[in-house]
Amino acid sequence: MSGSYEDRDGKIWMDGVFVDWRDAKVHVLTHAMHYASSVFEGERAYNGKIFKSREHSERLIASANALDMPMAYSIDDIEAAKAATLRESGLTDAYVRPVVWRGSGEDMGVASAKNPVRMAIAVWGWGAYYGDAKMQGAKLDIAEFKRPSPDTIPVHAKAAGLYMICTISKHKAEAKGCSDALFMDYRGYVAEATGANIFFVKDGEVHTPLPDCFLNGITRQTVVGMLKDRGITVHERHILPDEMEGFEQCWLTGTAAEVTPVGQIGDYTFEVGEITRKTAEAYEKLVRS
Ligand code: PMP
């Protein structure tokens, strides 16, 4: 399927009912559009089953709570709605996008308590997030913005507002021929890409940034567990940018990115080595098991 995302066939789940894809609209005075009162999830279904679905639903509720947006749905309600939307799509391998936002209501200022908390779920087919880069090793730019400190914004919420600097940084990266941008955090440590976590390999051991000011991705947690099960030592720690000089391999993890090898970050280069390849293969197997 191609073309505009608003001009497609199918159904979108909206506030408890299915509406025709092209009718899934909101008003221009939607609070979320003005003040970023919006949280979302990105999930993938494989062979008709959403991978780690419950974990994503739990995170969605936690993100909504972090933005003071009380949801009318329980985890079980969300699970049922996602499953129904996937079934309705007729797809077995698909991307699943739940979104929760403050709609249009009596409030048009910053406060939004009088506006309804709304929810929608869309499902569509989405292939490799980085296209061809997936197997060759993606090239990453280094972002100018930093991931913010936890006392400036709810850093663990998957909230629209946290993606503003991601979009700007990714546009700059793509203009330079890169697939993505890597952020440092407010202290200068290596953090994450615009929609994925990062891992490095050195001397057979794996190093990954401590997620103390960014999303502790569900894929990241899965991959850390898989590596430990294989007997590989994983260091979750603060990583300085200069350390990238000594790292041999690198990959990104995320629901959309899955396990994507990285070949270059700024002037640092990495090989698509055995641990990277085996991790990507093992992840592919796990999501379909
Ligand atoms: N960081 C950011 C900023 C992301 O958008 C994502 C994708 N949700 C991730 C990390 C990876 O999270 P997950 O593995 O849960 O998809």
Side-chain angles (χ1 to χ4, degrees):
M1 217 192 281
S2 61
S4 169
Y5 272 95
E6 64 183 8
D7 186 18
R8 296 181 170 209
D9 296 329
K11 301 277 185 197
I12 287 179
W13 185 98
M14 222 170 166
D15 301 317
V17 293
F18 284 116
V19 299
D20 285 338
W21 192 283
R22 292 176 185 82
D23 296 334
K25 292 178 179 171
V26 293
H27 195 270
V28 72
L29 295 182
T30 292
H31 191 272
M33 214 163 84
H34 299 253
Y35 303 108
S37 46
S38 165
V39 298
F40 63 101
E41 271 306 315
E43 319 183 22
R44 273 193 194 268
Y46 300 90
N47 298 336
K49 188 166 174 280
I50 300 171
F51 184 64
K52 304 268 179 188
S53 184
R54 227 177 154 80
E55 285 86 338
H56 283 283
S57 296
E58 281 167 5
R59 188 169 69 184
L60 183 69
I61 292 175
S63 297
N65 286 339
L67 270 70
D68 195 22
M69 300 197 302
M71 288 176 63
Y73 306 106
S74 67
I75 291 183
D76 288 336
D77 295 338
I78 298 168
E79 287 298 292
K82 291 191 301 190
T85 314
L86 179 63
R87 262 197 315 275
E88 180 68 36
S89 76
L91 298 169
T92 50
D93 283 18
Y95 186 78
V96 180
R97 168 56 60 88
V99 57
V100 175
W101 73 98
R102 283 282 188 182
S104 186
E106 286 176 52
D107 277 328
M108 203 44 220
V110 172
S112 67
K114 291 182 191 149
N115 292 4
V117 175
R118 303 191 57 190
M119 178 169 170
I121 306 168
V123 167
W124 64 86
W126 208 359
Y129 186 61
Y130 293 110
D132 290 347
K134 173 133 195 204
M135 288 339 291
Q136 297 154 3
K139 190 174 161 193
L140 269 53
D141 186 26
I142 295 180
E144 287 167 20
F145 288 108
K146 310 278 180 236
R147 295 314 301 170
S149 89
D151 58 6
T152 59
I153 200 161
V155 292
H156 297 294
K158 196 166 165 63
L162 281 152
Y163 285 85
M164 179 183 72
I165 57 173
C166 298
T167 301
I168 299 169
S169 305
K170 192 152 175 171
H171 283 182
K172 282 196 179 159
E174 288 183 347
K176 294 181 194 171
C178 296
S179 300
D180 203 353
L182 174 67
F183 283 108
M184 305 305 147
D185 72 17
Y186 64 103
R187 298 160 295 195
Y189 295 126
V190 173
E192 59 168 355
T194 65
N197 294 115
I198 193 155
F199 287 74
F200 299 97
V201 177
K202 189 182 178 186
D203 301 330
E205 296 187 347
V206 171
H207 303 255
T208 189
L210 204 61
D212 59 2
C213 65
F214 55 86
L215 215 59
N216 181 8
I218 291 166
T219 320
R220 179 192 178 281
Q221 295 172 53
T222 304
V223 166
V224 167
M226 282 167 42
L227 291 164
K228 287 183 176 168
D229 287 349
R230 275 159 61 203
I232 295 171
T233 304
V234 181
H235 304 276
E236 297 184 64
R237 63 177 180 87
H238 290 143
I239 295 173
L240 285 165
D242 287 354
E243 292 186 62
M244 289 197 281
E245 182 72 46
F247 290 142
E248 299 143 10
Q249 302 174 41
C250 176
W251 69 78
L252 299 176
T253 65
T255 297
E258 299 171 306
V259 175
T260 296
V262 173
Q264 192 176 344
I265 302 175
D267 293 331
Y268 304 109
T269 55
F270 310 94
E271 54 157 1
V272 182
E274 197 191 329
I275 295 187
T276 306
R277 270 198 308 274
K278 276 202 172 151
T279 304
E281 280 164 22
Y283 183 76
E284 241 169 72
K285 218 171 174 182
L286 178 71
V287 295
R288 294 185 178 280
S289 64

